[in-house]
Amino acid sequence: MYAEDKILIGCNESENVFLLPKLANRHGLIAGATGTGKTITLKTLAESFSDMGVPVFLADMKGDISGLAKIGSETEKIKTNVEKYDLAAKGFKYQAYPVEFWDLFGEKGLPVRVTLSEMGPTLLAKILNLSEAQTGVLNIVFRVADNNSLPIIDLKDLKAMINHVVENKAQYESEYGAIAEKSANTILRSLITLEDQGGNDFFFEPALDLNDFIRLDENGKGIINILDAQKLSLSPEIYSTFLLWMLSELFENMPEVGDMDKPKFVFFFDEAHLLFDDMSPEFGKKIEQIVRLIRSKGVGLYFISQSPADIPDDILAQLGNRVQHALHAYTPKDQKAVKVAAETFRPNPNFNTADVISELGIGQALVSVLDEKGVPTVVEQVDIVPPQSYIGAIDDAMRAELINLSELKPKYYEAVDPQSAYELLLNKIEEDSNLESEVVPETKEAIEQAIEESHEAPAEPAPQVEEPAQEAPAQPAFGLGDILGTVLGGGQPANGKKAKKSETQKMAEKAVAQAANTAAREVTKGIMRGIFGQMK
């Protein structure tokens, strides 16, 4: 709840715990076991940022976050906490919030699309779980496409480019290095799996413009962008890679703003462990660098997961504002997770943090935030302030109505298939085919005329003179074998003896040389086989 120009996260009998807006971009963590209240905390923070005039992005993994779009209703528990902590006097009121629904599959929100060129080979290799060698081939494919102005928009573009590079590997290997056909085939097979997971819908145009996430409504409230992830959660590689792409795009494109009174944009990463599963050390270092530096661009990042242990230590160290819900220590692994979580807080002398983590009720949490000097406060056990919007999911009719009313619907609703690598390569094949059709008739006519000349009657011998001259060696008849040798063998008859070429034979040789750069050579051979069969 936004109160006193600060975000009220939770309360107890003696303390109100506030998150300071100017330190909200120092990032945060919301952790806890399933069913302990993480979603309530997420909604309370999202509402507070919206009231503060800060746009928000978050993923709806179960559908219940959509209730942000509907006016809240009183429950017994909410009523108790509102009265207990006098929240009405602080500004608590039931209300709806401005939301924009998005969906990678275009079913429960505006379609979210990204071009493969924007995604790039590094993140795409993560989706496809490629090896180092396979990633190298993918890098070559993207580099060839870039150097030849062949944009890779969708999956059919990428498949066309892979086939093009393999078919012309002799041309590209001297510049780009070895191109293993086995790796290329593995990538093509992986793309089939990606298609089955919805890749044909996701990789397309119009591509998402992240500036459309950073908007305010007519009342100055930040738009809450909700990505429906119920179906997407079944494709964790696409989900995690999309969020990482968004993070990279924000980092690369947003300007430096330094320290601000409040963030420009807040990004919640739900199911954060999916982002870091099987992540290479090199990629992890890049993400750690982005998390560390993106705050200077006015972006706050909040990771949501069951345990702090799900987050790499280098990234966890950057998360200054922390909300820890209950963790249950049923196994040795759980006990270790509780210990790790307790050690991330500045101790409170009034209680043992590790003991309290296991005893927290639903909607309760341990909270520590950064103070005015940027120092973590002593951890406090609090009741999380309830959300002012509806707790639960909205119905499909209300969702559809809100999507239809969106000012962004005309921009994103209809897919566009522009001319890209697939179409450009197809045009090139058609041009080569047209060239072939122009060369073949000339070649056929020259060959037929050469054969006709070879069967003409031999010239009359020269008359004898009185003084015998040295007789020239007899010239063999120029038969079909010689024509084959001349036309298809580079000017030599099949019997290996040189023969004088007629103008017609020269024209035939020239025509075949033109055809050699296209598939016309095969057509020419077919013509010869047909003619040979007729002569038999």
Side-chain angles (χ1 to χ4, degrees):
M1 187 178 78
Y2 189 54
E4 303 176 22
D5 297 327
K6 295 177 288 187
I7 296 175
L8 180 59
I9 298 179
C11 309
N12 58 34
E13 287 77 4
S14 58
E15 295 288 341
N16 294 324
V17 179
F18 290 95
L19 172 61
L20 301 179
K22 68 178 183 180
L23 295 171
N25 66 335
R26 299 294 180 93
H27 313 320
L29 172 69
I30 303 172
T34 301
T36 57
K38 296 193 301 295
T39 300
I40 295 297
T41 301
L42 170 60
K43 293 182 70 172
T44 295
L45 289 177
E47 292 176 355
S48 302
F49 283 119
S50 179
D51 285 333
M52 197 164 62
V54 177
V56 170
F57 171 88
L58 49 84
D60 189 356
M61 306 299 289
K62 297 177 291 185
D64 51 355
I65 293 179
S66 61
L68 283 162
K70 184 177 178 180
I71 296 175
S73 58
E74 189 173 77
T75 66
E76 190 61 35
K77 187 171 183 178
I78 292 177
K79 180 181 178 181
T80 298
N81 280 341
V82 169
E83 293 176 351
K84 182 178 180 179
Y85 300 114
D86 198 18
L87 297 180
K90 295 179 175 67
F92 183 93
K93 63 178 181 180
Y94 295 108
Q95 59 181 309
Y97 283 82
V99 301
E100 192 77 71
F101 289 109
W102 303 87
D103 183 1
L104 264 66
F105 304 101
E107 297 172 357
K108 294 188 174 183
L110 297 178
V112 177
R113 304 183 184 94
V114 177
T115 69
L116 282 166
S117 292
E118 290 177 320
M119 178 69 71
T122 302
L123 286 176
L124 183 59
K126 183 180 184 300
I127 295 179
L128 301 176
N129 293 315
L130 300 183
S131 67
E132 184 177 349
Q134 293 156 3
T135 301
V137 171
L138 190 64
N139 279 318
I140 291 175
V141 170
F142 273 81
R143 181 65 63 87
V144 170
D146 186 54
N147 291 345
N148 291 275
S149 300
L150 297 168
I152 302 178
I153 302 298
D154 50 31
L155 292 178
K156 72 177 185 299
D157 290 328
L158 180 55
K159 289 190 284 188
M161 277 303 308
I162 292 172
N163 287 319
H164 170 74
V165 169
V166 170
E167 289 170 3
N168 297 275
K169 58 182 296 186
Q171 173 186 346
Y172 294 122
E173 283 187 329
S174 60
E175 181 176 356
Y176 301 101
I179 300 169
E181 292 188 33
K182 184 177 180 180
S183 293
N185 290 332
T186 300
I187 297 171
L188 288 171
R189 288 194 297 271
S190 298
L191 293 179
I192 295 174
T193 303
L194 188 57
E195 287 177 324
D196 293 340
Q197 293 181 351
N200 284 326
D201 298 318
F202 179 39
F203 297 111
F204 223 68
E205 283 199 330
L208 175 65
D209 180 356
L210 290 181
N211 289 318
D212 288 331
F213 278 176
I214 308 174
R215 297 180 298 129
L216 306 179
D217 73 353
E218 62 276 7
N219 298 316
K221 289 189 175 184
I223 301 293
I224 300 175
N225 298 276
I226 301 176
L227 176 69
D228 186 87
Q230 296 177 79
K231 183 177 178 180
L232 183 61
S233 62
L234 302 177
S235 305
E237 292 86 1
I238 295 181
Y239 170 72
S240 60
T241 306
F242 171 67
L243 295 189
L244 290 173
W245 170 79
M246 281 187 60
L247 180 61
S248 299
E249 287 292 299
L250 288 169
F251 177 70
E252 292 174 5
N253 297 319
M254 292 190 70
E256 293 281 343
V257 294
D259 292 329
M260 302 181 68
D261 292 336
K262 61 183 180 181
K264 290 182 63 177
F265 184 64
V266 171
F267 195 151
F268 289 93
F269 287 83
D270 203 355
E271 299 295 337
H273 65 279
L274 296 177
L275 304 177
F276 306 109
D277 286 349
D278 301 322
M279 182 178 289
S280 67
E282 295 77 13
F283 201 84
K285 289 179 181 178
K286 179 181 178 181
I287 298 303
E288 186 271 329
Q289 181 186 36
I290 291 176
V291 172
R292 180 163 46 85
L293 298 177
I294 200 170
R295 68 180 183 85
S296 65
K297 301 194 174 190
V299 177
L301 305 176
Y302 287 75
F303 294 88
I304 306 166
S305 195
Q306 291 200 12
S307 169
D310 295 334
I311 314 297
D313 289 344
D314 290 338
I315 293 177
L316 188 62
Q318 307 297 322
L319 312 182
N321 304 297
R322 301 189 179 186
V323 179
Q324 177 67 59
H325 290 272
L327 286 175
H328 305 300
Y330 297 137
T331 67
K333 183 178 179 181
D334 293 338
Q335 293 170 2
K336 183 179 179 180
V338 169
K339 183 179 179 181
V340 170
E343 290 174 348
T344 63
F345 288 108
R346 181 178 169 187
N348 188 321
N350 296 322
F351 57 82
N352 183 292
T353 305
D355 291 341
V356 171
I357 288 177
S358 300
E359 299 168 356
L360 293 169
I362 297 174
Q364 295 182 327
L366 294 174
V367 180
S368 175
V369 296
L370 298 177
D371 64 16
E372 292 278 357
K373 297 180 181 180
V375 177
T377 60
V378 171
V379 64
E380 294 286 350
Q381 179 181 348
V382 300
D383 291 313
I384 297 297
V385 172
Q388 300 165 92
S389 60
Y390 182 73
I391 296 178
I394 61 173
D395 58 40
D396 292 340
M398 183 176 182
R399 182 189 291 267
E401 182 180 0
L402 291 171
I403 294 171
N404 287 329
L405 293 174
S406 171
E407 63 183 45
L408 296 177
K409 182 179 178 181
K411 180 176 181 179
Y412 289 109
Y413 199 73
E414 294 294 335
V416 177
D417 189 7
Q419 188 177 60
S420 48
Y422 173 81
E423 289 79 14
L424 293 171
L425 289 172
L426 189 62
N427 290 341
K428 184 177 184 301
I429 293 173
E430 290 177 353
E431 289 173 3
D432 291 345
S433 178
N434 291 336
L435 177 61
E436 174 187 328
S437 64
E438 293 174 1
V439 172
V440 169
E442 179 184 355
T443 305
K444 179 179 178 180
E445 181 180 354
I447 292 170
E448 290 176 342
Q449 188 170 350
I451 292 172
E452 184 178 349
E453 284 186 359
S454 72
H455 288 81
E456 291 179 355
E460 292 292 331
Q464 297 287 333
V465 293
E466 292 183 0
E467 295 183 5
Q470 185 176 359
E471 186 175 345
Q475 296 292 335
F478 193 78
L480 181 60
D482 299 315
I483 296 173
L484 288 170
T486 301
V487 175
L488 300 178
Q492 291 284 0
N495 59 16
K497 298 179 181 180
K498 294 184 179 179
K500 183 177 181 181
K501 301 175 184 177
S502 69
E503 291 301 319
T504 305
Q505 292 163 1
K506 291 178 181 179
M507 182 175 70
E509 182 178 346
K510 180 179 178 181
V512 172
Q514 293 174 337
N517 293 327
T518 66
R521 175 178 289 275
E522 296 301 322
V523 178
T524 303
K525 291 180 180 178
I527 294 171
M528 291 303 304
R529 287 192 291 268
I531 294 173
F532 182 81
Q534 292 174 6
M535 292 179 62
K536 291 176 66 175

